[in-house]
Amino acid sequence: MSAEFEPRIVAFCCNWCAYAGADLAGVSRLQYPPNIRVIRVMCSGRISPDFILKAFQLGADGVLISG
Amino acid sequence: MSDQIRIGVFVCDCGSNIAGYVDVKALAEYAKTLPNVVYVKENLYTCSESGINEIKAAIREQSLNRVVVASCTPRTHEPLFRGTCEEAGLNPYLFEMVNIRDQCSWVHMQERESGTNKAKDLIRMGVAKAALLEPQESIKSEMDPNALVMGGGISGMTAALALANRGYQVYLVEKQAQLGGLLLQLDTLGPSGVDAAAFAASQAELVRNHPRIRLMTSTQVKDISGYIGHFKVTTASDGKEEQFGVGVVIVATGAQILKPHGLFGYDGERVITQLELEARFKRGTFSAGNVVMIQCAGARIEERKYCSRICCMVALKNAIQIKETHPGTGVRVLYRDIQAYGTENEEMYRRARELGVIFINYDVNVPPKVHGEKVTVTHQLLGRELDLPADLVVLSTPLIAGEDNEAISKLLRVSLDENKFFLEGHVKLKPLDFATDGVYLCGNAHYPATVREAISQALGAASRASIPLAKGVMTVEPIVSTLVDEDACRGCGLCVALCPYGALEIVRTEKGRKVRVIPVACKGCGVCAATCYQHALSINSYTDRQIAEQISACLESSG
């Protein structure tokens, strides 16, 4: 085990709200930990449970669905 | 061009916006190591003319068949780069954008190393998806040039006339026998004092005589199917059904008046509504020594929280009329807040006071009480009860949502608000459109409005509706649902039930019941694809495989 636990988080963001919000965080220069990777979708309704299970299966420590 | 995937990756410095916080050189070097990547270029500004030209040149010279730009956000720059690809002869949907500025360099400004690693991951994810992208063609569909206007009140008549005068065929459907809606019950219209019935009659005359308006009174809309450009409408009148096609629909179905049964001793005789007062004006049977009007009767209370907006102005108008025709009659208005916005309405308020109308504020927790020949109210400033003489009590009741609203909302797949009024697509950006394309709203169907506001909204809705009609052809982005595996589809209809846009239907085919996508109606949300347990449906550019590949690429540890 490495000294510090760094979680890997997969985020699914709706293009029309959460993805825009993540952009706004950037425009506002809000700083947050670099542990998250955003996958853009056209609606959080696109997220099938398969995607969430797949992410966990491949070792994600967290899955965030925002929309 | 060979079948081999050839990806070009363009990494943008964005001046110092990206290059100042992550190691762009390392990103470019890293991109070269990714599968299918044959060309990598770092640009000072990829979106500048020189950056664009470098993309175009690389597409030609390097025979690129996929382009990835790692820069700002696709929400602003994806259309530009898609256009660039198209100009260079590459299908614009073979382009993928990676957000390493707004969602990386700008939010990890103090963490150069981990920010750079994150950007590498994002580029790897984008490249993985790009390899699976497929070309798409934009979708075109002809518009039916006819319009349906539901409701023959002042909003519906105004909208129908506006569209018909532009040359479109309009079907105006009114469930009552007569045109005019609520106007028929009003006496005069404030602040101008125009005779409401005469005004309604003159508009109705224009509607009846218009060669492009097909007027259908005593008629109900039974069914509407389809989507923008191709709605199929079924109406029923006297048990006779009729079908016709339209390209757009305007909802102008109005509202209804709350009958205040059980409120303030309402009996329709001595305690009446403002509307019943106007009926007495019209018949010339009004007479009273002392009138007390009670505002917000049945509005802004626990069970009906909203303000009906127009009742204060109705009360002002009627109070003025009483004072002008019966100067000896006392008029007292018991109110919570006076809503008299705009210069002319504010002027009515001033005029009413000038004529001797007395306004007394009451607290919702201590409402006025009507008993016998008087009304008791607790005066907020005096702090004690006042007994007011009243041989006539007039209740200002709110407009409430139309009784058919829920049925219509299901027919058209449009939303209602918490009070069952129709809900616009966006409060500021789409105030007269529904979220569903090709369906518009105006007047009291949306929210209580004055006649003047209803007319403005109707003209606006007709104008909005004429945009697709004038274009004649709809062009839609091909990021839509597609039936990728017809054999897998069992025709269960789960996706049809869940589609918020009415973009799916079940059809009978040689292979049995199958879903059919109506691409022009689809918004590409992907609810259907996520729902389909057979994986028969997919979304172009957001397929199961593409997203799965992004997830896999994300969780590979970077170099």
Side-chain angles (χ1 to χ4, degrees):
Chain A
M1 280 285 286
S2 56
E4 260 185 76
F5 170 59
E6 285 292 343
R8 292 194 294 172
I9 301 165
V10 179
F12 295 99
C13 290
C14 162
N15 179 62
W16 311 103
C17 54
Y19 194 91
D23 283 348
L24 183 61
V27 173
S28 314
R29 307 298 195 277
L30 299 178
Q31 304 297 300
Y32 56 82
N35 302 58
I36 195 160
R37 307 286 180 266
V38 172
I39 294 177
R40 176 185 177 223
V41 285
M42 283 299 134
C43 172
S44 50
R46 175 70 189 93
I47 305 310
S48 109
D50 298 352
F51 298 150
I52 302 164
L53 295 175
K54 185 175 176 80
F56 283 126
Q57 214 170 32
L58 294 175
D61 298 300
V63 174
L64 175 71
I65 297 174
S66 194
Chain B
M1 197 183 285
S2 70
D3 292 342
Q4 199 203 339
I5 306 278
R6 296 178 62 81
I7 300 177
V9 179
F10 298 83
V11 183
C12 180
D13 294 348
C14 196
S16 62
N17 282 298
I18 297 172
Y21 307 100
V22 298
D23 186 345
V24 181
K25 300 267 180 302
L27 294 183
E29 285 308 311
Y30 176 72
K32 286 177 190 167
T33 68
L34 294 170
N36 302 310
V37 173
V38 296
Y39 181 77
V40 177
K41 177 81 189 154
E42 183 193 336
N43 310 110
L44 184 57
Y45 290 100
T46 311
C47 62
S48 68
E49 198 178 334
S50 65
I52 295 289
N53 287 337
E54 279 178 317
I55 295 178
K56 286 184 189 169
I59 290 173
R60 289 192 204 100
E61 289 159 18
Q62 308 290 328
S63 306
L64 300 180
N65 54 23
R66 302 288 188 287
V67 171
V68 173
V69 171
S71 61
C72 48
T73 169
R75 289 175 47 83
T76 55
H77 280 63
E78 194 175 58
L80 171 76
F81 294 127
R82 281 210 168 128
T84 304
C85 292
E86 195 167 23
E87 285 169 30
L90 184 66
N91 184 287
Y93 296 93
L94 297 174
F95 167 79
E96 180 67 17
M97 197 153 167
V98 179
N99 188 330
I100 59 166
R101 188 188 73 179
D102 301 46
Q103 296 182 12
C104 192
S105 71
W106 276 352
V107 291
H108 310 306
M109 298 171 94
Q110 313 298 329
E111 297 166 279
R112 189 174 179 87
E113 193 185 331
S114 47
T116 303
N117 285 337
K118 175 176 170 178
K120 285 181 184 174
D121 288 356
L122 293 171
I123 292 173
R124 188 171 67 243
M125 291 158 68
V127 166
K129 183 180 176 186
L132 296 174
L133 287 174
E134 283 162 28
Q136 312 292 342
E137 298 302 329
S138 27
I139 297 153
K140 287 192 164 50
S141 169
E142 299 272 321
M143 284 289 301
D144 187 321
N146 305 335
L148 167 68
V149 177
M150 296 172 72
I154 189 60
S155 306
M157 289 194 289
T158 305
L161 284 168
L163 281 173
N165 286 336
R166 283 174 202 180
Y168 303 110
Q169 172 71 37
V170 180
Y171 295 89
L172 178 57
V173 176
E174 165 59 49
K175 70 174 179 177
Q176 305 291 342
Q178 207 182 342
L179 286 173
L182 285 180
L183 274 190
L184 299 174
Q185 300 180 50
L186 300 179
D187 178 39
T188 58
L189 302 175
S192 54
V194 169
D195 184 300
F199 177 55
S202 73
Q203 292 301 100
E205 191 65 15
L206 291 175
V207 166
R208 267 192 298 272
N209 293 332
H210 204 294
R212 292 194 187 276
I213 298 178
R214 162 89 193 278
L215 178 59
M216 305 165 89
T217 48
S218 305
T219 302
Q220 297 258 19
V221 174
K222 287 263 292 195
D223 189 46
I224 299 181
S225 59
Y227 45 92
I228 180 167
H230 300 271
F231 289 105
K232 201 159 74 189
V233 185
T234 310
T235 57
S237 178
D238 280 340
K240 271 189 299 194
E241 290 204 352
E242 192 181 333
Q243 278 204 345
F244 52 88
V246 296
V248 293
V249 177
I250 294 181
V251 176
T253 46
Q256 52 179 334
I257 290 145
L258 177 77
K259 279 278 182 190
H261 294 297
L263 288 176
F264 303 103
Y266 171 75
D267 58 7
E269 291 293 326
R270 225 183 45 77
V271 182
I272 62 175
T273 63
Q274 291 285 358
L275 211 62
E276 287 159 349
L277 174 65
E278 299 210 17
R280 291 188 188 185
F281 289 157
K282 271 171 99 162
R283 289 197 304 266
T285 59
F286 170 80
S287 95
N290 280 292
V291 177
V292 170
M293 294 184 180
I294 301 176
Q295 300 304 107
C296 300
R300 300 170 70 209
I301 52 174
E302 199 48 40
E303 57 168 312
R304 207 173 293 104
K305 290 201 172 102
Y306 65 93
C307 163
S308 176
R309 278 173 91 241
I310 61 172
C311 346
C312 281
M313 291 171 295
V314 171
L316 293 174
K317 181 196 73 172
N318 289 343
I320 291 170
Q321 180 146 350
I322 293 173
K323 278 293 186 188
E324 283 178 344
T325 54
H326 300 73
T329 298
V331 182
R332 294 175 178 84
V333 179
L334 311 185
Y335 71 99
R336 286 168 59 194
D337 298 285
I338 287 285
Q339 178 91 267
Y341 50 88
T343 50
E344 289 171 1
N345 295 321
E346 187 65 26
E347 173 58 24
M348 283 208 300
Y349 185 30
R350 197 195 59 74
R351 171 92 180 126
R353 301 183 80 118
E354 194 178 81
L355 288 169
V357 176
I358 292 165
F359 290 84
I360 300 168
N361 182 254
Y362 77 88
D363 183 338
V364 65
N365 298 311
V366 203
K369 285 190 278 293
V370 179
H371 38 89
E373 292 277 305
K374 62 182 186 187
V375 176
T376 306
V377 62
T378 303
H379 195 290
Q380 293 302 295
L381 294 176
L382 298 176
R384 62 180 174 84
E385 286 193 340
L386 298 180
D387 282 335
L388 308 173
D391 49 353
L392 184 66
V393 176
V394 183
L395 304 180
S396 291
T397 53
L399 289 181
I400 56 174
E403 56 186 359
D404 301 327
N405 284 15
E406 284 187 78
I408 296 168
S409 85
K410 288 199 181 96
L411 274 184
L412 287 165
R413 288 178 178 250
V414 296
S415 305
L416 298 177
D417 69 12
E418 63 206 39
N419 302 310
K420 309 279 183 230
F421 286 100
F422 287 102
L423 183 67
E424 71 276 19
H426 185 284
V427 66
K428 289 191 170 61
L429 300 175
K430 283 177 138 192
L432 301 172
D433 303 36
F434 281 107
T436 305
D437 284 343
V439 190
Y440 309 86
L441 81 166
C442 57
N444 284 339
H446 174 225
Y447 199 79
T450 65
V451 170
R452 198 150 59 146
E453 287 164 345
I455 291 171
S456 307
Q457 290 175 18
L459 293 172
S463 176
R464 294 290 297 163
S466 64
I467 294 173
L469 291 176
K471 282 186 180 160
V473 175
M474 294 291 301
T475 309
V476 187
E477 259 223 297
I479 309 292
V480 293
S481 178
T482 39
L483 182 58
V484 286
D485 190 349
E486 193 185 12
D487 290 337
C489 176
R490 292 173 177 172
C492 72
L494 192 57
C495 52
V496 178
L498 291 174
C499 175
Y501 306 103
L504 297 168
E505 60 187 2
I506 295 289
V507 291
R508 292 194 184 282
T509 70
E510 288 168 2
K511 295 179 187 168
R513 282 163 55 87
K514 299 287 176 191
V515 71
R516 193 175 79 86
V517 181
I518 304 157
V520 280
C522 178
K523 298 281 186 194
C525 72
V527 168
C528 55
T531 309
C532 182
Y533 53 89
Q534 289 289 95
H535 300 279
L537 286 163
S538 187
I539 303 294
N540 292 340
S541 297
Y542 293 89
T543 66
D544 284 354
R545 245 190 101 201
Q546 288 162 357
I547 295 175
E549 203 60 26
Q550 274 182 294
I551 299 168
S552 304
C554 172
L555 294 162
E556 278 172 30
S557 52
S558 61

